[in-house]
Amino acid sequence: MSSKHDLPSWIQADNPGPWGIFLKQVDRVAPYLGHLSKWVETLKRPKRALIVDIPVELDNGTIAHFEGYRVQHNLSLGPGKGGVRYHQDVCLSEVMALAGWMSIKNAAVGLPYGGAKGGIRIDVSKYSQKEIEHVTRRYTSEIGMIIGPQKDIPAPDVNTNAQIMAWMMDTYSQNTGSTATGVVTGKPIVLGGSLGRVEATGRGVFVVASEAAKDKNLSIPGAKVAVQGFGNVGSIAAKLFYEAGAKVLAIADHTGVVYHQNGLNIHALLDYVKEHKGVKGFPESEPIDVDQFWRLDLDILVPAALEQQITRDNAPHIRAKIIVEGANGPTTPEADDILKEKGVYLVPDVIANAGGVTVSYFEWVQDFSSFFWTEQEINERLEHIMKNAYRSISEVAAEHQVSLRTATYIVACKRILGARDLRGLYPS
């Protein structure tokens, strides 16, 4: 990696982490960029990376320090857009990669945004609601100079939610002296949030999966489906598959894997998880181990957990006809190649899970106009954008005889670098 890329000094050359995966994906698209290839190095360097210290007084009176990040990868097409995740393993390489994937995702579906991402290294299970509020408000103040409705608009991600967005919006508004609903998306409805936002990413996964199934002559009713991850994205996707008549054979989450050969009752499982905080022990199922999960005979597999879940170790055993990536970066480049050789049709994250940022865009627009749409209008517009983006990318994949991931990067990188080329360099 070090011989091929001029890595930033804060990234380990021998272990670049998720950022290294993003760089490999950019390398694969470079031969298709034509005259825009002179700008490709722009994609390999984030525009801005901010690391902040977050000192907080805990409930017991002690002072704790947390490490926070906000990365703006590329702003050629508009203000930054991307979530904020709270996780004990968050690191700068991960946030850089997530910001890069947001650049690609926003451009792929034609949104007027650049890519950004944020994170805090914190295990939320160890802290009270009040402590999480203090962390959130201090983090927002620390990154306040680079975010804003026309600069960079955060949103929920792993372990963050509408309440955290409300605290971020309020903190930013207090610091600027006026209510700024458009500084974040994914807010509560009463504070300018959008109907359909909570379900948007999972709904987008389902819409794109349905389009991919048509291309592969698969019927969703009766299709054998498995979902890894049962958070906001995985649970909504599983629910929509179930309601459409698919057999959701297995669900995996951090507590374990549950399976039923005739399909799980997802409505009952959702109720169970609300009470038990995980799928383990669901009575209308049998437990299987993670290795068995990856070996299931499936029509559609949805990885909707964290990065680097499908690797060269488990990819050879996957027997799904279609993989639809609900998570960001769940498949490594090595696994990508293995799955391609096996004939697995893979719909990449940068198009499959773009439903969330699309409805975030709707929320941002509604906040500026103070005019709000019905949930039916939002879902119809989301479906229209997701289907059109998938179709456009499918055509590029067929034209160049490349994977859908590479095709998505071709479409997105041409838009980003085309904007960069037209804007030029200032000062030159």
Side-chain angles (χ1 to χ4, degrees), residues 134-395:
H134 291 164
V135 169
T136 299
R137 289 185 180 276
R138 185 59 186 249
Y139 170 71
T140 305
S141 292
E142 294 292 345
I143 67 169
M145 74 285 285
I146 67 168
I147 64 171
Q150 299 285 8
K151 291 182 178 179
D152 182 359
I153 306 102
D157 196 78
V158 175
N159 292 325
T160 54
N161 54 29
Q163 176 61 76
I164 285 171
M165 294 303 107
W167 289 330
M168 291 190 73
M169 187 210 81
D170 182 69
T171 304
Y172 180 86
S173 297
Q174 296 289 345
N175 289 343
T176 58
S178 62
T179 299
T181 56
V183 68
V184 296
T185 58
K187 304 179 296 298
I189 300 298
V190 71
L191 294 178
S194 176
L195 296 170
R197 174 60 185 88
V198 173
E199 301 84 3
T201 307
R203 185 176 295 278
V205 168
F206 174 74
V207 169
V208 170
S210 299
E211 292 299 296
K214 289 178 188 175
D215 286 348
K216 294 301 174 183
N217 296 315
L218 280 175
S219 173
I220 294 296
K224 294 180 293 183
V225 178
V227 180
Q228 185 217 16
F230 206 60
N232 182 50
V233 179
S235 64
I236 296 298
K239 175 174 174 285
L240 293 172
F241 277 115
Y242 175 73
E243 291 174 349
K247 293 181 179 179
V248 183
L249 301 183
I251 298 288
D253 74 356
H254 64 286
T255 65
V257 186
V258 291
Y259 169 83
H260 195 291
Q261 62 180 357
N262 296 320
L264 298 162
N265 183 330
I266 299 301
H267 289 162
L269 181 58
L270 286 166
D271 291 338
Y272 179 86
V273 169
K274 282 181 184 178
E275 182 179 351
H276 296 86
K277 311 304 180 185
V279 302
K280 184 178 180 180
F282 179 55
E284 301 175 36
S285 70
E286 61 178 282
I288 62 173
D289 61 35
V290 173
D291 185 60
Q292 289 175 286
F293 175 84
W294 294 116
R295 294 171 182 263
L296 290 173
D297 182 14
L298 301 168
D299 294 310
I300 300 172
L301 170 64
V302 180
L306 295 173
E307 303 89 34
Q308 302 182 66
Q309 300 298 300
I310 301 177
T311 67
R312 62 185 176 187
D313 295 325
N314 59 11
H317 309 300
I318 289 175
R319 294 191 289 163
K321 297 180 178 70
I322 299 172
I323 294 177
V324 183
E325 294 182 334
N328 291 307
T331 310
T332 66
E334 294 80 8
D336 252 346
D337 293 338
I338 293 168
L339 294 169
K340 184 178 179 181
E341 289 176 9
K342 287 167 60 72
V344 177
Y345 189 68
L346 190 149
V347 185
D349 52 353
V350 282
I351 180 65
N353 69 18
V357 72
T358 301
V359 176
S360 279
Y361 168 61
F362 296 165
E363 180 177 332
W364 185 67
V365 170
Q366 291 170 88
D367 284 338
F368 276 121
S369 65
S370 296
F371 182 81
F372 293 86
W373 311 336
T374 67
E375 188 164 2
Q376 182 179 345
E377 288 175 314
I378 288 163
N379 289 341
E380 287 174 353
R381 289 172 176 175
L382 169 64
E383 188 169 333
H384 175 75
I385 286 175
M386 295 294 289
K387 285 183 176 180
N388 282 354
Y390 173 81
R391 286 292 152 213
S392 297
I393 289 163
S394 296
E395 290 170 6

Side-chain angles (χ1 to χ4, degrees), residues 5-13 19 23 44-46 92 96:
H5 298 103
D6 184 12
L7 291 170
S9 60
W10 59 84
I11 295 294
Q12 291 179 259
W19 180 245
L23 293 178
K44 300 179 183 180
R45 291 165 172 80
L92 185 55
M96 286 168 59

